[in-house]
Amino acid sequence: MSDAVEQVEARAALSGGVKQRDAFISYSQSKNAPLAKALQRGLERLAVSRFRPMRMSVFRDVISLPASHDLWQSIQRELARSRYLILLASPEAASSPWVAKEVDYWLRERDTEHLLIAVASGEIAWDDEADDFDWRKTTSLPPNLGGHFTSAPLWVDLREIDERGHRSLRYPPFRAAVATLASPLHGRPKEELEHDDFRQLRFVKRLSWSGVALLVTLLLLAVYGFFDASRQRDEALAQARISASQALAARSGQLLETSPNQAAQYALYAQETRSTPESRRALAQAVAAAPYAKRRLRADADSVTGKEGASRPAFTDVVLSADGTTAAYRSAFDQTRRVRLYDVRSARQSRVLRAEGTPRALSRDGRVLATEVYLNRVQLWDTRTGKLLRTMATGHTENLPHVGHGLSALALSPDGRWVAASHYTPEGKAFVVVWSASDGHEITRLQVSDGRVGLGFSAEGSRMTLVDRDREEVREFLTDSARWKAVRSLPGMPGSTAEALKHSEVLLFDGARKVLTRTSKRAEVWDLEQRRRIAARSLGPYEDMTVAEDKGTFVVGGQDGTVQLYDATLRPRTTLGRLVRPASTIAMSADGTQVAVASYGGEFNLFTTGTRRGQQVPLDNKEFTYGDLTPDGRMAMHRTEDRTEFWDPGTGRRLGGIPYANLSVDLDDTAYTLSGDKRYVGMQSLEGVEDKGRFDIWDLRTGKRTDCGVDGDGASGVFFLPGDRYVVGDWNGAVQVLDTRTCTRRTVTKGFGNLALSGDRRTLVLLTDDGVDTWRWDGEHTFKHVAHTTLPTEGKAGPMTMSVDHEGEQAALSGAESHVYVVRLDSGRRVRATGTMPHDTDDVAFSRDGSLLFQGFMNENTQGVRVLDAGSGDQLDVWTTDPPAGSVQPDEDMQVVPGSGNDILTLGPDHEIVRRTVGVEAWHDLLCGLVSQPLPARERDRYLNGLEVGAPCR
C-alpha cells in the first residue's frame, strides 16, 4: 500500500513544480452534472481512509476551473496536466461543441489508451468488420472519435445507476463502476481497490458503532442525571407563563373602560403568553368593549385662525379603500401639503405622495389613488411605488363658471380600470366623462342636467350607473362594450339644490343598485332596480355623510363634532365618537367595519365599528321570531298565512318558498332541515283537525312537495345527512333513517327525545331520560353506536336544549335552571357543570373550534348572550344586546345557533337575526385589526421579563 502511495505522489509532480492531475472528466453540463460530480468524488475517495486527505486529483470544470478571461486556454492547460481523459458519454455530450474540442485536443496531443469511457445515457455499438464504432446505432459518442480505435474499447455502463439515482460508493454497482475507472489511474487491480475500500468502510462502521454506543451510554447518564432538573425547569417556566398571562389579562380588565385599545393589546399578549381561561375572558371582554374604538392618527391644529374663510373653510380630505386597508389624507394644516398614505391595520403612515391634488377615491385594494388636480384634471397614483401613473383632463380647464365646484362627482372602479367624473364647461353645461385608466383614453362623454350627479360602478367594474336627479332618471354604461343602456325614470326623486356641493350629494352603494341622495337637512335612500324610495329621514345640522358601499350603513358627521352611525333605513344606531371640530370629510370601508374621519382642524381618526362583532342579517328586512332559525344555523323561515319562505343567513339569499304554512303548531312539533346543496327542505309539521304528524320534503326550485314523506308524531329534530340521500329523525317513538330515493326507513334505536347533529353532519346525539347516546355515520348508510353517558340527577330536572360542536366531539346541554353540562362524546364519561345564572336561559351553541359556548338568556330587564369556556366551565363574559333594558317583551325567548364559520346567530324579541364573530382565533384577528403594535418595552419587561413571547399580531 505504501509503495503505491509513493508512486502516486511521484506522478503528481511535473517539471517546473506544476502539480499533475490524474484525470479530466469531459461531460455535458446541462445533462450529466450530478453524475459527473458523484463520479469525481467517487474516484477521489475510493480506497482512501476517511481520516486521510484525498490522493487522487480529478478535474471537473465547474468546480475546478479558476476565473479567467480565456476559458479554452484554461481548459487546454488542465488537459495538458491530466494523465487520463474520462469521457462521460451521452447524446448531449455527443452534440456538445466543448466536449468535441476536448476530445479533439486529447486525440491530437495524447492517445486513446489514456481515454476512458463511461456511458451515462444513449447507446454505444462496435462494428467488428469496420473496426470502428457502428455510427448508425451509436448516439452517445462525439463523431470525432471515429477511426481512432483499432479494437473495441472497454467502457463502463452507468445508465441504470444514473436512472435510479444511486450515486454513492455505498451502492455496490456504483462502487464497482468507479473501481473499474480508477484501476488504471491507481495502477492497481480493480478487485484490490474494492477490497481496500470495503475494508476502510468496515473500519469506519465499527468505529462509528463504538462511538455511538459510547455516546448512547453518556446520553443515558446525562438524561438520567438532568431529567428531574429539566422537568422542574419546565414546570417553573409553565407556571411563569400562566402567572404572566393572568397578570396581563387582569391589566386588560382594568383598562376596558378607559382605553379599550390598550385593553385589547394586553388581552392579545395574555393569550400569546399562555392560553388560559383568564386570557380567553380578556379577549371576550376586549371584543365586547371595542366595537367603536378610536385611533387618532393626526391631531387637531392648535389654531385655525387665518386658515378658514367665510365662504370656504379649510378642508381636510380623506378617502378609504373599500377593503379597509388603506387611507389617503390631505389637509390645509399639514406642513408637507402632500397626500399621506396610511396602513389602516397598523394605524401607521406608509408613504407620502408628491401629489398636489385632493384625494378623491381609492381602488378596492388600495393600490390606485385618484386625485383631483386644479383645474378639472384627474391623476392616478400607484400607492405602492408612489409614482404617477396617468393624468386625464376633461378638456375644459379654463374660464369655468363653477371653478369652486371642481369635479362635482368622481368614481373609480373597484379594480382601478375605469375613472368617471362630472364637470362643467365654460358655457355652463355639465357633462359626465368616462376614461380608461390604462391609457387615459376617453371612452364616452354624456351631457347631464347638473354636475352634481351620482356615479358608481358595480362590484366587478363592468357597469357604471349614472343618477341624474334633476331629470329624475338613471342610466347604465357598459364598460366592456362602451355602450349606454336605455334611460329609466325615477319619478319623485328630489332635485339638486343651491347648497354647497357636499350638502347636495348623490352616493351610490350596494353594487350601484341603491343610491343615497341628500341635502343639508334631509336624506333619502332609493332602490334603483325597483325605482322607488325605501327610506327617508330629516337630519339635524351636519357637515358630511357617507355610506358603506356593500352594506348600506351610513355615517354622519354633525356640526357639533359628533360622528354617528345609522343603519340601512337611516335610523340612528350609535355615536362612534366626537371630534374637536366638525367633520370635513368622512370615508367608510365597503363592509362598514372601518370609518375614517377628518375634521376642519386637520384631526384624523379611524373608528372600528361593531359590525364585525354584531352585524344584523337583513334578509329583505323581514322580521323573525324565536324558532325561525334551524338549529344548525343554515336556514331561516318566514311564515305568512299560507306560505313559508326560506332564507340563507350566511349569504342573505332567498332560497325559495312553498305554498304551505303551519302557524298554529307548537315549536316542539315542528322541525326543518336544509339539504347540503340547498335545493330541498325537509319539514315536520302537524296537519288537519286531528293534529296528525307529517314529514315532507319540498323542492325549493319548483315549490312542490316530493313523493317521499313520513306519517308520524312530531319530531324534535330532522336532518339531512352527507350526500343528501338520507334524512334522520325521530318518528313514532324511534330514531329512523329515511332513504329519500326508495322512501324506506331503517331504525337506529327505539325511544325518542331531543335529537341533535354535529356541524359536519356525521355525529348524531340523542338526549333521553336515561342520558346521552352518541352514534357515528359510516358515510354510506348506517349509524354506529359509540357511547352512552348517564347524567347526574340534577341534570335531568326540567326540559333541556342541546347542541353538538362542529366536529362531533362534545355536546352542551342547557337546562331550565340555567345549568349547562358539557359531555365528551368520544368516551361518554366527562360531564362538567358550568354553574348557574339567575335568569331564564335558552339555546346554547359552540364556537367553530369547540373551545367556547354561547348561551342566550332573558330576564325582565334585558337579554343577551353569556360566554362560557367549554373546557373549564368558567363564565368569561356577558354580552347584552338590543333592545335596551326595560323593553323586552314577556314570553319571548333568545335563540342562539352556530353560524356558517367563526360566528353565531342570535334571534331575540327585537325580531332581528344578528351575526356575531366568535372564537379565540377570530377574536385574535379582530383585535389585531384594531391594535397591532407591540407592547411598549417597559410594559414588556414588567410582565414578560425572562419569557420568550413573540408579538401576537405578526
Side-chain angles (χ1 to χ4, degrees):
M1 178 83 177
S2 59
D3 295 340
V5 171
E6 292 175 358
Q7 293 175 9
V8 172
E9 291 177 347
R11 291 196 305 268
L14 297 172
S15 60
V18 179
K19 292 289 184 180
Q20 187 180 27
R21 292 194 184 276
D22 292 284
F24 181 108
I25 300 178
S26 180
Y27 65 101
S28 169
Q29 293 185 15
S30 62
K31 175 67 175 177
N32 304 123
L35 182 59
K37 180 180 178 181
L39 187 60
Q40 178 193 23
R41 181 167 180 79
L43 291 169
E44 292 174 342
R45 297 302 312 179
L46 184 71
V48 177
S49 171
R50 272 48 175 181
F51 307 104
R52 296 188 60 182
M54 296 178 293
R55 301 190 186 96
M56 300 296 292
S57 176
V58 179
F59 176 81
R60 183 171 59 89
D61 54 358
V62 172
I63 191 172
S64 307
L65 198 62
S68 174
H69 67 279
D70 191 340
L71 180 60
W72 175 241
Q73 184 178 358
S74 299
I75 292 176
Q76 280 184 310
R77 185 164 54 251
E78 296 299 334
L79 285 167
R81 56 189 290 213
S82 298
R83 294 191 300 113
Y84 281 86
L85 175 67
I86 299 177
L87 174 60
L88 195 55
S90 68
E92 290 76 15
S95 60
S96 170
W98 286 98
V99 173
K101 292 179 68 175
E102 291 163 359
V103 171
D104 275 339
Y105 177 87
W106 193 265
L107 296 175
R108 184 175 64 252
E109 300 295 334
R110 307 296 287 273
D111 54 59
T112 57
E113 293 182 1
H114 289 79
L115 193 154
L116 308 176
I117 299 175
V119 183
S121 60
E123 299 292 335
I124 294 181
W126 180 261
D127 188 346
D128 291 327
E129 296 182 0
D131 287 333
D132 196 358
F133 294 102
D134 187 345
W135 294 104
R136 294 173 299 176
K137 299 179 180 179
T138 300
T139 60
S140 58
L141 295 178
N144 53 359
L145 276 179
H148 287 275
F149 287 89
T150 58
S151 61
L154 179 65
W155 59 80
V156 178
D157 193 344
L158 300 177
R159 287 175 291 190
E160 183 177 356
I161 295 173
D162 193 39
E163 289 176 0
R164 295 189 176 185
H166 298 313
R167 308 185 187 102
S168 170
L169 290 177
R170 295 184 178 183
Y171 183 54
F174 183 73
R175 184 173 66 247
V178 172
T180 302
L181 293 172
S183 178
L185 273 63
H186 284 272
R188 299 172 59 194
K190 167 188 173 183
E191 293 76 10
E192 185 179 331
L193 288 175
E194 284 193 279
H195 175 74
D196 285 353
D197 187 74
F198 179 75
R199 184 164 53 84
Q200 291 292 342
L201 180 61
R202 184 172 56 185
F203 172 74
V204 170
K205 284 184 177 181
R206 288 176 178 175
L207 186 61
S208 299
W209 279 113
S210 299
V212 169
L214 179 61
L215 289 175
V216 169
T217 302
L218 294 175
L219 179 62
L220 291 174
L221 292 174
V223 171
Y224 178 80
F226 290 99
F227 177 77
D228 188 59
S230 177
R231 179 181 58 81
Q232 293 182 10
R233 183 173 60 253
D234 292 342
E235 289 180 355
L237 180 61
Q239 186 58 47
R241 282 183 169 271
I242 292 174
S243 299
S245 176
Q246 292 172 339
L248 288 164
R251 180 57 177 161
S252 175
Q254 295 171 356
L255 295 169
L256 283 173
E257 295 185 1
T258 59
S259 179
N261 285 13
Q262 283 187 296
Q265 187 179 43
Y266 281 91
L268 287 167
Y269 268 91
Q271 181 66 20
E272 184 73 17
T273 302
R274 175 59 63 91
S275 181
T276 64
E278 291 81 7
S279 70
R280 293 190 285 274
R281 176 184 291 111
L283 287 177
Q285 293 176 342
V287 167
Y292 312 114
K294 178 177 69 175
R295 289 177 288 182
R296 193 176 188 183
L297 277 63
R298 306 286 294 182
D300 190 78
D302 294 334
S303 174
V304 295
T305 304
K307 296 288 187 178
E308 291 183 311
S311 60
R312 180 180 174 89
F315 282 107
T316 297
D317 298 283
V318 63
V319 292
L320 189 64
S321 62
D323 64 1
T325 61
T326 307
Y329 162 95
R330 186 177 187 271
S331 175
F333 301 100
D334 194 345
Q335 295 180 355
T336 65
R337 299 295 177 90
R338 304 293 186 189
V339 175
R340 297 180 182 269
L341 299 177
Y342 289 87
D343 178 74
V344 174
R345 180 178 175 84
S346 63
R348 294 179 179 176
Q349 181 176 298
S350 58
R351 182 178 294 276
V352 177
L353 293 181
R354 301 182 61 85
E356 299 292 341
T358 301
R360 293 292 301 271
L362 278 160
S363 61
R364 189 175 188 88
D365 58 6
R367 294 185 175 183
V368 179
L369 171 68
T371 62
E372 178 185 352
V373 183
Y374 185 83
L375 276 168
N376 281 358
R377 289 192 295 270
V378 178
Q379 288 186 341
L380 299 181
W381 295 80
D382 188 326
T383 60
R384 294 170 298 175
T385 63
K387 294 182 179 180
L388 176 64
L389 300 175
R390 198 83 56 216
T391 299
M392 293 162 288
T394 64
H396 302 90
T397 57
E398 296 179 355
N399 303 319
L400 297 177
H402 298 282
V403 171
H405 286 173
L407 296 174
S408 299
L410 189 147
L412 179 64
S413 65
D415 56 8
R417 295 177 57 198
W418 314 99
V419 184
S422 63
H423 71 96
Y424 293 96
T425 67
E427 296 78 16
K429 297 180 180 180
F431 286 86
V432 167
V433 184
V434 180
W435 294 279
S436 169
S438 61
D439 55 11
H441 176 68
E442 182 178 309
I443 304 299
T444 187
R445 178 181 292 266
L446 182 70
Q447 186 172 356
V448 292
S449 61
D450 189 272
R452 292 172 291 187
V453 295
L455 298 174
F457 286 90
S458 59
E460 73 283 355
S462 63
R463 169 177 52 85
M464 188 202 73
T465 301
L466 162 66
V467 176
D468 193 326
R469 292 188 297 180
D470 291 351
R471 292 179 178 176
E472 296 185 352
E473 63 183 28
V474 59
R475 298 193 66 172
E476 292 183 348
F477 178 74
L478 304 179
T479 54
D480 292 337
S481 60
R483 179 175 59 87
W484 286 95
K485 297 178 69 175
V487 176
R488 291 181 292 158
S489 64
L490 290 172
M493 174 170 280
S496 57
T497 67
E499 296 179 303
L501 173 62
K502 68 183 307 177
H503 289 139
S504 183
E505 195 173 10
V506 181
L507 301 175
L508 280 80
F509 63 97
D510 192 17
R513 291 187 291 266
K514 293 184 178 67
V515 63
L516 168 73
T517 175
R518 62 188 179 88
T519 65
S520 61
K521 297 181 180 180
R522 182 177 175 82
E524 295 184 358
V525 179
W526 285 70
D527 189 316
L528 298 180
E529 293 183 344
Q530 299 181 11
R531 292 184 290 174
R532 64 181 181 89
R533 181 173 51 240
I534 56 177
R537 177 169 290 272
S538 296
L539 301 174
Y542 77 98
E543 284 298 316
D544 196 23
M545 185 175 183
T546 192
V547 59
E549 293 180 6
D550 292 349
K551 298 299 180 183
T553 54
F554 307 92
V555 177
V556 175
Q559 290 184 356
D560 60 353
T562 59
V563 181
Q564 196 167 16
L565 189 69
Y566 286 69
D567 66 11
T569 60
L570 292 175
R571 293 180 300 180
R573 293 184 57 184
T574 187
T575 298
L576 299 180
R578 185 183 297 271
L579 308 181
V580 177
R581 290 177 175 83
S584 171
T585 53
I586 303 177
M588 198 175 191
S589 61
D591 62 0
T593 60
Q594 300 287 348
V595 177
V597 185
S599 75
Y600 284 120
E603 182 181 358
F604 179 27
N605 292 289
L606 288 174
F607 294 91
T608 300
T609 70
T611 54
R612 285 185 294 182
R613 185 180 69 82
Q615 177 182 350
Q616 180 184 352
V617 182
L619 302 183
D620 200 28
N621 296 319
K622 295 185 181 299
E623 290 190 350
F624 297 85
T625 59
Y626 181 85
D628 284 345
L629 283 171
T630 54
D632 58 7
R634 298 181 64 234
M635 186 171 62
M637 291 77 65
H638 183 263
R639 290 170 288 184
T640 59
E641 184 176 350
D642 57 357
R643 186 172 179 81
T644 303
E645 291 185 338
F646 301 94
W647 300 79
D648 183 350
T651 63
R653 184 171 62 90
R654 180 180 179 273
L655 298 172
I658 61 175
Y660 179 87
N662 193 8
L663 301 175
S664 61
V665 300
D666 192 295
L667 289 175
D668 293 337
D669 298 315
T670 307
Y672 298 87
T673 182
L674 179 66
S675 64
D677 60 6
K678 300 180 181 180
R679 177 177 177 179
Y680 297 97
V681 164
M683 182 175 70
Q684 177 74 32
S685 61
L686 295 180
E687 290 185 342
V689 294
E690 298 181 0
D691 289 343
K692 293 182 179 180
R694 174 74 183 177
F695 173 77
D696 291 292
I697 298 176
W698 296 75
D699 189 333
L700 291 178
R701 296 182 182 179
T702 62
K704 296 181 179 180
R705 196 187 324 232
T706 65
D707 296 334
C708 188
V710 177
D711 290 322
D713 297 333
S716 65
V718 288
F719 308 96
F720 273 102
L721 296 174
D724 297 334
R725 175 175 177 176
Y726 299 98
V727 177
V728 63
D730 57 330
W731 297 290
N732 301 317
V735 178
Q736 298 178 324
V737 174
L738 170 67
D739 188 333
T740 60
R741 295 184 184 177
T742 62
C743 209
T744 57
R745 286 176 285 167
R746 294 190 306 275
T747 298
V748 177
T749 183
K750 295 290 185 179
F752 61 93
N754 288 350
L755 202 62
L757 196 70
S758 61
D760 61 6
R761 300 193 292 167
R762 295 184 180 278
T763 301
L764 181 69
V765 181
L766 177 66
L767 172 64
T768 65
D769 293 338
D770 294 332
V772 176
D773 284 278
T774 305
W775 288 267
R776 306 280 189 198
W777 181 247
D778 66 358
E780 295 182 1
H781 60 276
T782 303
F783 274 108
K784 179 182 179 182
H785 187 266
V786 293
H788 173 79
T789 300
T790 302
L791 294 177
T793 304
E794 62 271 18
K796 301 179 181 179
M800 302 186 74
T801 59
M802 179 173 56
S803 177
V804 183
D805 68 0
H806 184 78
E807 301 296 331
E809 296 177 351
Q810 51 190 346
L813 315 174
S814 176
E817 297 181 358
S818 303
H819 292 281
V820 177
Y821 298 91
V822 179
V823 181
R824 294 292 303 184
L825 299 176
D826 52 357
S827 62
R829 295 180 179 177
R830 290 184 57 187
V831 179
R832 183 185 295 272
T834 60
T836 62
M837 191 173 186
H839 329 91
D840 291 335
T841 56
D842 297 302
D843 295 349
V844 61
F846 283 96
S847 61
R848 183 80 170 193
D849 60 6
S851 63
L852 303 172
L853 275 172
F854 300 87
Q855 182 185 26
F857 71 88
M858 296 280 297
N859 62 19
E860 65 278 3
N861 296 319
T862 188
Q863 66 178 46
V865 178
R866 72 165 176 161
V867 185
L868 303 172
D869 192 299
S872 67
D874 294 342
Q875 179 172 297
L876 304 182
D877 200 13
V878 176
W879 292 348
T880 57
T881 61
D882 292 334
S887 63
V888 174
Q889 300 298 319
D891 302 326
E892 291 194 80
D893 296 323
M894 186 75 174
Q895 188 176 10
V896 180
V897 298
S900 58
N902 290 320
D903 57 0
I904 59 171
L905 301 175
T906 62
L907 174 58
D910 54 0
H911 307 297
E912 292 182 352
I913 298 174
V914 178
R915 178 182 293 108
R916 303 178 189 279
T917 302
V918 298
V920 172
E921 291 186 4
W923 290 345
H924 175 278
D925 295 341
L926 191 153
L927 294 178
C928 279
L930 177 66
V931 51
S932 60
Q933 59 265 32
L935 200 67
R938 177 183 296 180
E939 294 298 289
R940 184 180 179 89
D941 292 341
R942 177 183 178 185
Y943 291 98
L944 301 172
N945 188 25
L947 297 177
E948 294 184 2
V949 179
C953 301
R954 293 184 288 269

